[in-house]
């Protein structure tokens, strides 16, 4: 498709494009004032660890409640926010510009990721100690934006049931989905910006993390672009400034927990160099994110090839044969990284996960973190 330069709002006129359509956006974005996004608590002193959680999310004034307990349900999703839809092809492949390669695979227990400041962050009116607010950066292609809409029995979990310990945050500059402003309760389709009303893994990651660590809060920093491939996310290319806007804005207000990436299957939209250079490109991307958030060993949890794909993308076909060996190199190219297997995941179509597939992938990703010692929040 011929590149086009579209403003964020003009994208609303092309939402009928196919899930993997590509449209280009300008590199630069105007500065955004995020100074009021994480303000003080809604009255009272910061919460303490242990006890009963707020019912329905934010307490209505007075002293904020304490950590722990079961999630609440309710709240219908909206489809607002300024989306981005695709990106222009990057010329040539991407090579690593920094970051150490893993010698012989992923190191063992890496301990708790961190780089958080002192004090609190306000989440739903509750003053949460910074070291109990864990942020997940999750980026990728249309599967990360989300194309899941079935089975019907699983819709409530993704689209209407919120958890008072699961939040999402966007800034106007990133265009990645949801509405800019203070952190809001996480819900699909807004965690990574899908405008088709369908779900990605963002809400599942947060809700399952909160179930594993009920004394903590989890914040989604999601950004996804249909059909985009790795080199388009690199600094100086189409999408880096947008994907890093929310992490930079919230830096010092949270502990960063991990980077989750869905990429690989879309390298076919680039060049032969994009495919051959995929491991180094991921290393460059992750190294720059780690540098910008101040956590040099922040874990990377990435999808393996979508082996349940069918048609031209099926295992054994030319597309899979080209990229699968490159994906397999990630754990020995990027330190503190791991691949999540995608076999036996429920599928929405020929290459996107359905609601149950997204939830199971999130479960596997968090289990991988536990196995590696990268999920210390209990």
């Amino acid at each position: 498709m011929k590149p086009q330069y579209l403003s964020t709002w003009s994208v609303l006129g092309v939402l009928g494009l196919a899930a993997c359509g590509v449209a280009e956006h300008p590199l630069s974005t105007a500065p955004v004032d995020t100074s009021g996004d994480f303000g003080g608590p809604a009255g009272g002193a910061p919460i303490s660890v242990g006890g009963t959680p707020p019912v329905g999310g934010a307490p209505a004034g007075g002293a904020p409640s304490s950590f722990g307990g079961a999630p609440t349900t309710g709240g219908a999703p909206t489809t607002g926010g300024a989306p981005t839809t695709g990106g222009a092809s990057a010329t040539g492949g991407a090579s690593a510009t920094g970051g150490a390669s893993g010698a012989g695979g992923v190191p063992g227990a890496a301990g708790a990721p961190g780089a958080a400041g002192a004090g609190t962050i306000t989440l739903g009116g509750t003053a949460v100690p910074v070291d109990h607010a864990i942020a997940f950066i999750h980026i990728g292609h249309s599967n990360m934006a989300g194309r899941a809409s079935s089975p019907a029995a699983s819709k409530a979990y993704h689209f209407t049931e919120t958890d008072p310990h699961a939040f999402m945050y966007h800034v106007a500059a990133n265009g990645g989905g949801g509405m800019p402003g203070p952190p809001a309760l996480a819900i699909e389709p807004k965690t990574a910006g899908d405008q088709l009303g369908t779900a990605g893994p963002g809400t599942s990651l947060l809700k399952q993390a909160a179930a594993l660590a009920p004394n903590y809060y989890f914040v989604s920093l999601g950004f996804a672009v249909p059909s985009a491939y790795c080199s388009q996310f690199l600094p100086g290319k189409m999408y880096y400034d947008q994907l890093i806007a929310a992490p930079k804005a919230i830096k010092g207000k949270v502990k960063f927990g991990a980077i989750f990436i869905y990429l690989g299957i879309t390298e076919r939209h680039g060049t032969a160099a994009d495919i051959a250079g995929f491991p180094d490109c991921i290393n460059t991307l992750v190294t720059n994110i780690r540098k910008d958030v101040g956590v040099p060993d922040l874990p990377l949890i990435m999808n393996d090839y979508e082996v349940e794909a069918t048609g031209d993308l099926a295992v054994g076909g030319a597309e899979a044969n080209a990229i699968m060996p490159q994906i397999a190199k990630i754990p020995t190219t990027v330190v503190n990284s791991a691949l999540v297997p995608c076999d036996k995941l429920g599928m929405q179509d020929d290459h996107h996960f359905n609601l149950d597939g997204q939830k199971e992938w999130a479960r596997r990703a968090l289990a991988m973190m536990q196995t590696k010692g990268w999920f210390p929040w209990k």
Side-chain angles (χ1 to χ4, degrees):
M1 181 179 290
K2 183 178 179 180
Q4 304 174 49
Y5 281 84
L6 302 175
S7 70
T8 300
W9 293 109
S10 66
V11 175
L12 294 174
V14 294
L15 293 182
L17 290 176
C20 289
V22 178
E24 188 170 306
H25 289 258
L27 287 173
S28 61
T29 54
V32 176
D33 182 6
T34 61
S35 59
D37 287 355
F38 318 109
I47 53 181
S48 59
V49 176
T52 306
V55 177
S65 303
S66 54
F67 284 97
T72 61
T73 61
T78 62
T79 58
T84 55
T85 59
S89 298
T91 57
S95 59
T97 59
S101 296
V106 181
T120 64
I121 179 174
T122 300
L123 296 174
T126 300
V128 179
V130 167
D131 63 356
H132 276 70
I134 312 303
F136 289 161
I137 300 169
H138 56 104
I139 61 176
H141 48 49
S142 56
N143 225 356
M144 181 60 75
R147 291 296 177 264
S149 61
S150 64
S154 300
K155 286 186 175 181
Y157 181 87
H158 299 266
F159 295 110
T160 60
E161 296 175 357
T162 58
D163 186 312
H165 286 202
F167 284 77
M168 59 186 177
Y169 176 66
H170 302 93
V171 296
N174 82 344
M179 294 299 292
L185 289 171
I187 203 73
E188 296 303 319
K190 297 189 290 184
T191 57
D194 183 63
Q195 293 297 316
L196 300 181
T198 47
T203 299
S204 290
L205 279 168
L206 299 177
K207 291 173 73 173
Q208 293 185 70
L212 292 171
N215 288 338
Y216 290 80
Y217 283 63
F218 293 85
V219 182
S220 155
L221 307 175
F223 178 82
V225 182
S227 285
Y229 45 94
C230 180
S231 61
Q232 294 178 311
F233 288 97
L234 294 178
K237 301 296 183 180
M238 297 307 301
Y239 302 121
Y240 188 79
D241 287 349
Q242 293 167 292
L243 75 88
I244 205 65
K248 279 186 172 181
I250 207 170
K251 181 180 178 181
K253 305 294 186 181
V254 296
K255 293 187 71 173
F256 291 97
I259 305 166
F260 298 89
I261 292 180
Y262 276 175
L263 284 174
I265 201 169
T266 49
E267 296 305 298
R268 69 189 191 279
H269 296 306
T271 66
D274 283 298
I275 295 173
F278 183 65
D280 285 341
C281 182
I282 293 293
N283 189 42
T284 301
L285 174 59
V286 170
T287 297
N288 278 277
I289 294 172
R290 289 168 170 171
K291 179 179 178 181
D292 278 338
V293 300
V295 188
D297 60 348
L298 187 63
L300 165 66
I301 314 297
M302 185 169 165
N303 63 300
D304 207 333
Y305 189 76
E306 293 92 326
V307 294
E308 301 297 337
T310 58
D312 292 342
L313 301 176
V315 173
E319 303 288 0
N321 287 345
I323 195 61
M324 287 179 71
Q326 304 305 324
I327 295 174
K329 296 176 184 177
I330 298 298
T332 54
T333 303
V334 185
V335 296
N336 278 17
S337 68
L339 297 176
V340 177
C342 298
D343 59 304
K344 300 180 181 178
L345 293 181
M347 303 297 287
Q348 186 68 42
D349 52 37
D350 66 336
H351 65 294
H352 296 111
F353 306 146
N354 68 11
L355 296 173
D356 291 345
Q358 293 283 18
K359 185 176 180 181
E360 173 60 15
W361 190 91
R363 186 199 68 77
R364 293 179 186 182
L366 294 169
M368 181 73 72
M369 291 184 69
Q370 290 178 303
T371 299
K372 298 292 185 181
W374 299 335
F375 193 95
W377 311 289
K378 291 288 187 180

